[in-house]
Amino acid sequence: MTHNAVVVGGNRTPFAKAGGPFAQASNHDLLTAALDGLVARFGLAGERIGEVAAGAVLKHPKDFNLTREAVLSSALSPATPACDLQQACGTGLETTIYIANKIRLGQIESGIAGGVDSTSDAPITVSDPLRRTLLKANSARSAMDRIKPFASVRPSHLKPQAPSVTEPRTGLSMGEHQALTTERWGISREEQDELAAASHHHLAAAWDDGFFDDLVTPYLRVAGDAILRADTSVEKLAKLRPAFGGEHGTMTAGNSTALSDGAATALLASEEWAAAHHMPVLAKVVDAEVAAVDHPGGDDLLLGPVAAAGRMLERQGLTLDDFDLIEIHEAFASTVLTTLKAWDDEDYCRGLGLDGKLGTIDRARLNVTGSSLAVGHPFAATGARIVPTLAKLLHQRGAGSKGLISMCAAGGQGVVAILEAV
Amino acid sequence: MSVPPAAGAADRPVQHLDAMPGMAAAFARALAPSRRDEARLPRHAVQVSGYRQDPARLAEYSRVCGFTLRDHVPPTWLHVLTFPLHVHVLGDRSSTVRLAGAVHVSNSMTLHRPVGVQESLDIAVHAQNLRPHRRGALVDLVGTITVAGDVVWEGVSTYLASGMSTPGEPEEAERPPWEPLVPHATWRLPGDLGRRYRRVSHDPNPIHTSRIAAKAFGFARPIIHGMWTHARALAALENRLPASYRVHVDFLKPILLPGPVGFASTAREHAIDATVTSRDGSRPLLRLQVTEAP
């Protein structure tokens, strides 16, 4: 027996720059804040939800049960189970897919998908050689055996290790990878700055319209997205120095996402549960797909979503023209631009095993309330930010409106999904 | 049970302070033994207006006590903000009761509505209700926090001034019966907990951090601040607390650092009972009850 999994709504904290107003808040604090706001908005206090799935990319070992612990701190019934799930920057969308699938299969009737990241409270660990030494000493049986391993410790081993967003197999940061892609696909500085400026302007307009009033709850004196620069312009962005790709690079701090802190949640349910609880119903989750590219073999790291979208559209018999709205996660402005170019590239798409190119889109349908460049990108939270945002936008356009979400993730992965207003 | 707070009697003179007073000097003064044995209290209240809460200190307080960092602050945090005024009131010349050396025996507070970290607070404290006890004199320090004229929080801290006297016959304190229980949690209190709590509470009392000071007061090791234990117990109930409530605690036995303690709680229809016990649950150390706000 299958059901429709529908998006009821969402709640997130405002997003802010790392080291900013949420510097003292842990992943637990942020995720609990997002859950608290969701509980308040939909009257879920004391409610047993089928399951809560969330995750964080930068996670402390002590947070092995991060989501369950946040549930226990929230006003949800303590009988609400939870799991941690992580797929790099795709986490918040992957948790949505996980919850939606369980609802569709009738295993649960309601669920919360979420994600959180605090780059301010990132775990610092010891170096690998020191860690191995400590483990060896810990398992030693005699006092002498316990001391012996420390003879091999070198001063360099004592340096604390901050997490980095470097690909383990290539040694390149995400920005460095994307700089190669930007160059290869011939994406200009101007196009990137235009997309970044549009993201800020769209987000600012949406805040001015009150669009986020039922999607965001203020936290720690922050009422709105703190990274947003409503007054930025292509001219201002053009003055920034390159951050990736060397001195002639086109990627800057302005057209790349900032390290951010924040948490987001989405409430999903079966249509039956939503009706029984007198909940609004915004959009159903139609389909989803994940894909990956061989970036250690030289593929473009952040173009994983192209194959994912192509396979999902073929399966659904849909084309890009069928979508009223398209959300492409703005890891970098050039990620969005290369994704659009790749969708329209016959050879590239056939190389992925697709029947042909996906085609072009009307840019007026893209990221209409801004995206990660302006909002910020707390890695695992972004997917759970996009899902309720898009669901609300589709609902405003009327039943049957379709939306496509495309997210790139570390490890050459891509996560995509289709929502349709009900 | 303690006496309900009578917020600032109308005829009580109020001393307005420009800023929250420091506590170190007052404590040093208070360590000198008082020559008087008749307990006397100052009549006036002290008040600090427009107090701005420090979110970074709240975050550290939450970490130390086990609270999730939220927009709405724990009531025990509001107590911590009133504490310098407790010291200040009893540090007055007209007071013969000294806070250092006095034993915090019970505490009641009422959160009338959720209080935000961004709210600017008017904080007032006065001493009242001096009464005899078989080991000395009991005194209530009453804190009131208002926001734009509305009382949002009230607290009554009852201290025992050992060896001091005040006219009257001591009331027979009735201890509720105690049945050993099986704790459903063990908290392992680390040796540096007193120091960590001092950083966020700003309470300089060395009995919580120094072995020598603790010995001087008859304890083998430093003891954790009662208000930490209170806060930790409340934090363990954080998902069950309503928007407004009253919480009462009785501090029954000091908790030595480092060491493990047990914890158990029971939710009833209109109340939550919680107990911090010895690790095996045989002895009660702190009893807490949350009830609906009056």
Side-chain angles (χ1 to χ4, degrees):
Chain A
M1 184 160 144
T2 59
H3 304 257
N4 269 337
V6 294
V7 180
V8 171
N11 182 64
R12 64 178 176 92
T13 67
F15 291 175
K17 206 167 241 176
F22 299 155
Q24 296 294 328
S26 64
N27 278 337
H28 174 93
D29 295 329
L30 285 160
L31 184 56
T32 307
L35 280 174
D36 275 345
L38 192 76
V39 166
R41 179 161 300 136
F42 294 101
L44 301 174
E47 189 80 39
R48 181 175 63 81
I49 295 294
E51 188 168 4
V52 180
V57 172
L58 301 176
K59 205 162 118 173
H60 292 257
K62 68 173 167 36
D63 283 340
F64 64 92
N65 232 344
L66 172 67
T67 311
R68 170 67 182 148
E69 290 299 327
V71 165
L72 283 173
S73 286
S74 78
L76 290 172
S77 160
T80 300
C83 79
D84 276 28
L85 197 157
Q86 201 256 69
Q87 194 172 48
C89 303
T91 300
L93 187 54
E94 189 59 76
T95 55
T96 303
I97 297 165
Y98 169 90
I99 291 292
N101 285 349
K102 284 201 171 191
I103 291 170
R104 294 172 77 179
L105 285 170
Q107 293 169 349
I108 55 175
E109 291 183 291
S110 62
I112 296 172
V116 56
D117 257 293
S118 166
T119 33
S120 298
D121 186 39
I124 303 283
T125 52
V126 297
S127 69
D128 209 45
L130 180 58
R131 189 177 60 83
R132 287 180 192 288
T133 305
L134 290 168
L135 286 170
K136 206 187 260 176
N138 201 35
S139 63
R141 281 160 192 274
S142 73
M144 204 48 216
D145 284 352
R146 248 192 287 277
I147 295 165
K148 227 186 286 167
F150 289 99
S152 65
V153 172
R154 298 284 166 266
S156 65
H157 297 165
L158 300 177
K159 206 173 127 206
Q161 310 281 300
S164 69
V165 274
T166 303
E167 284 296 328
R169 285 167 189 276
T170 63
L172 298 183
S173 72
M174 208 165 265
E176 289 165 335
H177 263 290
Q178 185 57 35
L180 297 176
T181 301
T182 306
E183 178 83 28
R184 187 180 297 160
W185 287 82
I187 308 293
S188 74
R189 168 78 185 259
E190 292 68 32
E191 286 176 275
Q192 294 176 55
D193 287 347
E194 278 166 20
L195 191 106
S199 185
H200 284 275
H201 297 155
H202 288 157
L203 182 71
W207 272 106
D208 286 347
D209 288 349
F211 178 81
F212 291 109
D213 290 355
D214 60 358
L215 292 171
V216 179
T217 304
Y219 182 53
L220 299 183
R221 301 187 188 180
V222 183
D225 293 312
I227 291 168
L228 170 64
R229 292 286 169 271
D231 62 349
T232 194
S233 63
V234 175
E235 294 71 35
K236 281 183 187 168
L237 289 166
K239 290 184 185 133
L240 297 174
R241 298 220 326 245
F244 303 104
E247 55 178 315
H248 300 299
T250 56
M251 292 168 60
T252 68
N255 59 41
S256 309
T257 47
L259 288 175
S260 328
D261 300 341
T265 55
L267 176 62
L268 292 104
S270 66
E271 281 182 303
E272 297 84 352
W273 188 93
H277 287 74
H278 310 291
M279 298 280 185
V281 166
L282 302 178
K284 65 178 176 182
V285 181
V286 175
D287 201 357
E289 175 95 18
V290 289
V293 295
D294 179 20
H295 68 285
D299 287 353
D300 295 299
L301 179 76
L302 299 183
L303 289 187
V306 178
R311 294 205 291 260
M312 180 173 68
L313 296 190
E314 285 181 7
R315 176 166 67 236
Q316 289 289 329
L318 294 171
T319 69
L320 289 175
D321 290 337
D322 294 316
F323 292 95
D324 301 88
L325 294 171
I326 291 173
E327 289 281 337
I328 305 178
H329 160 49
E330 297 169 342
F332 304 91
S334 76
T335 316
V336 179
L337 295 163
T338 42
T339 300
L340 293 174
K341 262 192 153 168
W343 280 354
D344 197 32
D345 189 308
E346 188 74 24
D347 292 341
Y348 185 81
C349 288
R350 284 191 184 281
L352 296 172
L354 302 173
D355 289 345
K357 66 179 183 178
L358 280 64
T360 56
I361 64 157
D362 174 2
R363 290 279 284 272
R365 298 176 180 181
L366 177 69
N367 300 349
V368 295
T369 53
S371 189
S372 306
L373 287 169
V375 190
H377 174 39
F379 308 121
T382 294
R385 166 185 71 76
I386 294 175
V387 167
T389 303
L390 178 62
K392 182 178 172 180
L393 286 166
L394 292 170
H395 186 70
Q396 288 175 342
R397 276 164 179 72
S401 310
K402 288 189 185 63
L404 173 67
I405 302 172
S406 169
M407 295 192 69
C408 57
Q413 306 196 92
V415 194
V416 300
I418 298 171
L419 302 184
E420 182 184 325
V422 287
Chain B
M1 287 313 222
S2 71
V3 174
D11 62 340
R12 197 178 285 286
V14 179
Q15 179 194 3
H16 290 273
L17 305 180
D18 292 340
M20 204 48 92
M23 289 188 278
F27 256 90
R29 239 190 351 262
L31 284 175
S34 170
R35 294 201 191 149
R36 319 282 277 274
D37 62 359
E38 192 204 334
R40 275 195 292 113
L41 295 176
R43 231 173 59 75
H44 68 279
V46 284
Q47 178 163 345
V48 172
S49 300
Y51 182 84
R52 304 287 298 172
Q53 302 172 70
D54 173 2
R57 184 176 159 207
L58 172 67
E60 182 66 19
Y61 174 84
S62 301
R63 275 195 289 273
V64 173
C65 300
F67 288 106
T68 300
L69 178 61
R70 294 170 199 265
D71 266 0
H72 294 140
V73 304
T76 48
W77 158 257
L78 297 173
H79 167 91
V80 162
L81 300 184
T82 64
F83 187 70
L85 299 184
H86 291 198
V87 178
H88 193 80
V89 163
L90 292 186
D92 191 86
R93 280 176 201 288
S94 59
S95 172
T96 60
V97 178
R98 291 280 179 259
L99 204 52
V103 182
H104 196 177
V105 292
S106 66
N107 205 89
S108 285
M109 50 181 98
T110 304
L111 185 67
H112 290 285
R113 66 151 170 87
V115 176
V117 63
Q118 79 289 348
E119 291 189 287
S120 166
L121 312 174
D122 297 335
I123 305 176
V125 167
H126 68 269
Q128 67 175 31
N129 199 19
L130 197 58
R131 55 200 186 278
H133 182 275
R134 61 187 168 76
R135 280 168 46 209
L138 290 173
V139 54
D140 289 340
L141 283 167
V142 179
T144 308
I145 297 184
T146 52
V147 175
D150 293 330
V151 176
V152 295
W153 176 94
E154 289 172 285
V156 179
S157 300
T158 302
Y159 292 94
L160 168 64
S162 300
M164 301 210 87
S165 67
T166 192
E169 282 303 308
E171 279 174 50
E172 272 313 304
E174 41 179 311
R175 280 276 164 87
W178 170 252
E179 291 280 337
L181 51 78
V182 179
H184 55 66
T186 302
W187 304 338
R188 292 173 183 82
L189 278 48
D192 68 345
L193 187 60
R195 216 156 263 122
R196 291 187 62 201
Y197 187 71
R198 182 178 66 187
R199 267 216 306 276
V200 293
S201 67
H202 297 179
D203 184 339
N205 194 341
I207 197 171
H208 305 303
T209 49
S210 152
R211 198 174 265 259
I212 294 166
K215 283 220 166 95
F217 284 93
F219 302 109
R221 303 197 302 275
I223 59 170
I224 189 56
H225 204 295
M227 290 307 292
W228 177 86
T229 316
H230 181 353
R232 180 67 189 82
L234 200 61
L237 308 174
E238 67 173 347
N239 60 339
R240 301 181 208 178
L241 297 171
S244 68
Y245 56 92
R246 181 171 185 273
V247 55
H248 178 87
V249 296
D250 290 312
F251 302 103
L252 305 175
K253 286 274 182 320
I255 297 171
L256 271 57
L257 294 174
V261 294
F263 175 78
S265 68
T266 316
R268 293 187 284 113
E269 198 171 342
H270 296 292
I272 309 170
D273 293 325
T275 317
V276 179
T277 64
S278 55
R279 188 187 195 170
D280 61 2
S282 65
R283 286 183 310 125
L285 306 174
L286 173 145
R287 279 185 143 184
L288 174 148
Q289 186 173 59
V290 176
T291 50
E292 288 167 354

